């Protein structure tokens, strides 16, 4: 399963927004926004996992 590392997106990007943005390139199995442990705000990078 191809996995992309995405960085530099807006801090307010949610898992749903991330998934929606990449679904046009294929079926997205998982879209995870990495969050700060203390503040729960985005840390500025994400992972997108595509299905085969």
């Amino acid at each position: 399963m191809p996995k992309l590392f995405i960085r530099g997106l807006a801090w307010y990007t949610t898992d749903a927004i991330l998934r929606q943005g990449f679904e046009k390139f294929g079926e997205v199995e998982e879209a995870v926004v990495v969050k700060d442990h203390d503040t729960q705000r985005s840390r500025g990078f994400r992972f997108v996992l595509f299905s085969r």
Side-chain angles (χ1 to χ4, degrees), residues 28-48:
V28 175
E29 186 171 313
E30 185 177 53
V32 178
V33 174
V34 179
K35 297 179 182 169
D36 181 86
H37 183 268
D38 296 325
T39 65
Q40 293 304 303
R41 286 185 60 187
S42 170
R43 293 192 57 208
F45 61 95
R46 293 100 170 118
F47 292 96
V48 177

Side-chain angles (χ1 to χ4, degrees), residues 1-4 19 22-23 25-31 48-52:
M1 291 177 248
K3 187 175 191 176
L4 296 176
R19 176 181 294 273
F22 282 90
E23 281 181 334
F25 300 109
E27 185 179 345
V28 175
E29 186 171 313
E30 185 177 53
V48 177
L49 182 63
F50 287 95
S51 299
R52 287 200 173 223

Side-chain angles (χ1 to χ4, degrees), residues 8-30:
L9 297 177
W11 62 267
Y12 54 81
T13 303
T14 64
D15 294 346
I17 292 170
L18 184 64
R19 176 181 294 273
Q20 183 181 12
F22 282 90
E23 281 181 334
K24 59 185 166 190
F25 300 109
E27 185 179 345
V28 175
E29 186 171 313
E30 185 177 53

